[in-house]
Structure formats: structure tokens, C-alpha cells
């Protein structure tokens, strides 16, 4: 018998996103709407798509590499162990200016859902 508190690992394969990074979702389940957890991987020389998350606060926790995070036009260097708390609705992106992959945890509260993602680079999407 499996206890209620046990959650079996799902299919957590890494996938490419139009945001210009790879994502591995570790925890994102409608049964737990309060939080989601993913790992993002940005290759050297890449800057992710400028975007915002409507109704979702996101925290980056760097686990490997370095980069420059931009939140509402303010840029700050992040290195292993550093965190960035990104308020819901804030314009955000991150640049890997190192020579190895930049990897960071993405902790979203409430959980990430695709409709919260607003692309701020493509014409017509920024007004959504």
C-alpha cells in the first residue's frame, strides 16, 4: 500500500523551450497548487526570452554556473548558491555569460502553469 504522502517520480526528462533554455520539471502537479519546482539549464552565451509570469512569483536558486539576471530592467550577477526572488508580473530574463552551462532551480508560487507565461519579445504578446 502506498501512503498518501508518497509521490512517485514522474517523467522528468529535460525538454527545450522557446524561452531558449532547457527545463526539467521536478514537481508540478494540480494536486499541489501552492508550488512547483523545475531545473532550468541555459547554455553559454544564451540569454533567455524576456517574459513575465502573471500571478506567479518565481525564485531562482543557482546550482551551477553564473549569469546575469534582469528583473524589471535591473541587472545583477548570480553565481552558485545565489538566489533571485522575482515578483509576479515582473519582466525577467537571465544571461549565461560564463563558459559552462548555467543551471538553477525555479521555485514558483503558486505553481507554474503555461497560461501565466507572457512573452515580452514577440509583437503583440507584451500587452496581454
Amino acid at each position: 500500500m502506498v501512503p498518501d504522502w508518497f509521490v512517485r517520480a514522474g517523467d522528468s526528462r529535460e525538454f527545450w523551450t522557446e524561452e531558449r533554455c532547457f527545463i526539467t520539471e521536478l514537481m508540478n502537479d494540480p494536486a499541489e497548487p501552492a508550488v512547483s519546482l523545475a531545473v532550468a539549464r541555459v547554455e553559454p552565451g544564451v540569454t533567455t526570452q524576456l517574459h513575465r509570469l502573471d500571478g506567479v512569483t518565481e525564485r531562482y536558486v543557482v546550482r551551477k554556473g553564473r549569469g546575469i539576471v534582469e528583473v524589471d530592467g535591473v541587472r545583477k550577477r548570480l553565481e552558485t548558491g545565489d538566489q533571485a526572488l522575482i515578483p509576479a508580473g515582473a519582466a525577467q530574463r537571465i544571461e549565461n555569460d560564463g563558459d559552462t552551462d548555467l543551471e538553477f532551480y525555479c521555485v514558483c508560487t503558486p505553481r507554474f502553469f503555461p497560461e501565466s507565461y507572457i512573452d515580452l519579445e514577440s509583437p503583440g504578446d507584451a500587452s496581454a
Side-chain angles (χ1 to χ4, degrees), residues 16-79:
W16 172 254
T17 71
E18 291 184 13
E19 188 181 347
R20 297 188 289 271
C21 67
F22 295 89
I23 296 290
T24 303
E25 286 196 306
L26 302 176
M27 183 180 77
N28 190 347
D29 191 310
E32 180 50 62
V35 65
S36 63
L37 174 65
V39 173
R41 183 171 64 85
V42 181
E43 296 175 312
V46 173
T47 300
T48 62
Q49 184 176 70
L50 184 64
H51 66 283
R52 70 175 190 252
L53 298 182
D54 284 349
V56 176
T57 297
E58 186 168 23
R59 181 183 302 269
Y60 292 168
V61 182
V62 179
R63 71 182 206 167
K64 177 183 168 189
R66 69 172 200 217
I68 300 172
V69 65
E70 180 181 329
V71 179
D72 280 342
V74 177
R75 294 168 51 90
K76 182 71 178 156
R77 166 151 317 276
L78 290 176
E79 297 178 353

Side-chain angles (χ1 to χ4, degrees), residues 2-3 12 14 31 42 45-46 49 69 73 96 105 107 113 116 123:
V2 177
S12 58
E14 182 179 71
V42 181
V46 173
Q49 184 176 70
V69 65
N96 181 348
Y105 293 104
V107 182
F113 54 99
S116 69

Side-chain angles (χ1 to χ4, degrees), residues 61-121:
V61 182
V62 179
R63 71 182 206 167
K64 177 183 168 189
R66 69 172 200 217
I68 300 172
V69 65
E70 180 181 329
V71 179
D72 280 342
V74 177
R75 294 168 51 90
K76 182 71 178 156
R77 166 151 317 276
L78 290 176
E79 297 178 353
T80 302
D82 289 343
Q83 299 181 32
L85 179 60
I86 304 164
Q92 61 172 296
R93 63 180 154 201
I94 193 164
E95 171 190 353
N96 181 348
D97 66 344
D99 55 5
T100 62
D101 285 351
L102 168 62
E103 294 182 6
F104 53 97
Y105 293 104
C106 304
V107 182
C108 292
T109 55
R111 72 184 267 271
F112 175 82
F113 54 99
E115 297 79 14
S116 69
Y117 187 96
I118 307 298
D119 172 2
L120 298 176
E121 290 184 0

